[in-house]
Amino acid sequence: MVKAASPAPVQGAASGRATAHHAPVLGSASANPLGDLQALTQVNQHVARALRTLFEPMLRQPVKVAAEPITVQRFDEYLTANCNALASATLIGMAPLSGQALLVIDGGFTFRLVDLYFGGPGLAPNPLPPEFTPTAEAMIGRLARGVTERLASGWAELAEIEFQVGRTETNPHMLSHIDGEDWVVRTRFLLTIGEGRPVPIDLLYPAASLKPIAGILSSKVQARRHAEDPSWTNNLMRAAMNVKLPVRSVLAEPTIPLAQLMSLKLGDIIPISFGPEIPLLVSGNRFARGAVGAFNGRAAIRVHRIEPLEDESN
């Protein structure tokens, strides 16, 4: 793994367009191969708005949620800067992408949420206990499920990813499956309850897991899904229906020895036989089976059944 300089966040330029100044990641000695992550920034803005619907009904008071600029940094650098006290780390699966995202919630903030949820003023124990209480653990699980549901909604127009809540560790430093030199994409949501100070909720994506969709993440503008245009669909259907395809049938395919073939002469007869049905081929693919007959004085095939194309049956 390449050790690089400390990362810089994605920031907006004077023109209003966002530019990226990331440290090299994934062994690259040049620019960040994930691109400027503008599409992920849009996802974060969507998720930030959706998180209000998670916290406000729970706390019964106004909540503000803002998405901070994205940063790309090594996991050990993140731990050193952010996880020096009690904190929870919940793993979130990202099928079909490999690896797992990590939801990190400050321990003091968790206890504040518990106190607010049960009608208190939002105070946390001082000093913090060495581990979470069962009530605090239940709050962490509820938050993880709520955040995961809103992640699925935020990513829906970008990529089909199934987010799944995994286990929770009470100490991010104990996550042995993540190497300290692994690069992570940190997305941070600042949560402000009432007139209080903003508190961060961090979601870390493994940079290696996002690399397969780097092209999508770096696109400047994400095209939203629009309802189909009926006229365009009808025109496409009419055009498709006018495409001409070669159709043929094979009555029989007799097999004879090479010696007999070489001795054939004018007038020889090769006997053939075929069953009650023969294949009907379209562009070389078996399309249907039917029987030989006549129609309006011409040879014809009566279709008995339609068969799937060979590539569809594999």
Side-chain angles (χ1 to χ4, degrees), residues 54-55 78 82-83 85-90 92 102-113 128 132 136-137 139-147 168-172 189 191 199-204:
L54 171 64
F55 287 100
Y78 172 82
N82 300 277
C83 299
L86 182 66
S88 64
T90 302
I92 300 177
L102 194 65
L103 177 66
V104 180
I105 304 177
D106 176 73
F109 178 59
T110 301
F111 282 108
R112 283 183 56 201
L113 289 179
L128 287 175
F132 290 104
E137 291 178 350
M139 175 62 71
I140 293 169
R142 179 172 182 172
L143 293 179
R145 290 188 296 272
V147 171
T168 296
E169 295 287 347
T170 57
N171 185 350
F189 303 98
L191 185 73
V199 179
I201 295 178
D202 288 344
L203 183 66
L204 309 180

Side-chain angles (χ1 to χ4, degrees), residues 8-314:
V10 178
Q11 299 178 350
S15 63
R17 291 189 176 182
T19 57
H21 304 284
H22 294 164
V25 299
L26 303 178
S28 171
S30 58
N32 170 18
L34 294 180
D36 56 19
L37 302 175
Q38 282 304 291
L40 184 56
T41 298
Q42 295 180 20
V43 170
N44 290 345
Q45 293 170 352
H46 180 104
V47 173
R49 292 191 296 270
L51 285 177
R52 291 182 55 193
T53 65
L54 171 64
F55 287 100
E56 287 187 342
M58 185 189 338
L59 304 177
R60 297 178 293 278
Q61 59 179 300
V63 174
K64 298 178 182 178
V65 185
E68 273 201 344
I70 297 170
T71 61
V72 181
Q73 61 187 136
R74 282 188 353 208
F75 185 59
D76 56 1
E77 294 175 345
Y78 172 82
L79 293 178
T80 300
N82 300 277
C83 299
N84 296 317
L86 182 66
S88 64
T90 302
L91 297 173
I92 300 177
M94 305 184 297
L97 298 179
S98 62
Q100 295 171 301
L102 194 65
L103 177 66
V104 180
I105 304 177
D106 176 73
F109 178 59
T110 301
F111 282 108
R112 283 183 56 201
L113 289 179
V114 171
D115 191 56
L116 285 168
Y117 181 74
F118 288 103
L123 300 178
N126 189 14
L128 287 175
E131 58 185 20
F132 290 104
T133 64
T135 305
E137 291 178 350
M139 175 62 71
I140 293 169
R142 179 172 182 172
L143 293 179
R145 290 188 296 272
V147 171
T148 301
E149 291 172 359
R150 286 153 181 82
L151 278 177
S153 175
W155 278 80
E157 295 186 357
L158 187 64
E160 295 183 1
I161 298 178
E162 181 181 353
F163 294 95
Q164 184 69 38
V165 177
R167 77 177 192 276
T168 296
E169 295 287 347
T170 57
N171 185 350
H173 292 269
M174 301 302 292
L175 293 169
S176 58
H177 72 287
I178 305 179
D179 190 275
E181 293 190 353
D182 288 346
W183 289 86
V184 294
V185 178
R186 191 207 72 183
T187 61
R188 169 167 290 179
F189 303 98
L190 291 178
L191 185 73
T192 305
I193 303 174
E195 300 300 325
R197 297 178 58 185
V199 179
I201 295 178
D202 288 344
L203 183 66
L204 309 180
Y205 298 98
S209 299
L210 297 184
K211 191 173 182 181
I213 58 173
I216 299 175
L217 296 177
S218 63
S219 56
K220 296 296 183 181
V221 178
Q222 288 300 309
R224 296 184 177 273
R225 297 176 181 176
H226 298 285
E228 292 184 353
D229 182 352
S231 62
W232 184 89
T233 303
N234 292 335
N235 291 337
L236 177 62
M237 180 64 72
R238 284 195 296 269
M241 292 299 101
N242 288 327
V243 174
K244 295 182 178 181
L245 300 173
V247 178
R248 67 185 181 92
S249 63
V250 179
L251 295 179
E253 292 181 323
T255 302
I256 61 176
L258 179 60
Q260 182 181 352
L261 179 64
M262 298 299 295
S263 63
L264 285 177
K265 57 184 181 297
L266 188 64
D268 286 350
I269 297 176
I270 301 176
I272 62 172
S273 63
F274 53 89
E277 292 184 336
I278 62 171
L280 182 66
L281 307 177
V282 177
S283 295
N285 296 297
R286 182 176 295 177
F287 177 75
R289 297 189 70 86
V292 177
F295 182 75
N296 289 338
R298 302 180 63 181
I301 298 176
R302 180 188 295 275
V303 175
H304 287 171
R305 66 178 183 272
I306 305 297
E307 295 188 348
L309 296 178
E310 293 181 0
D311 61 345
E312 294 179 345
S313 60
N314 292 335

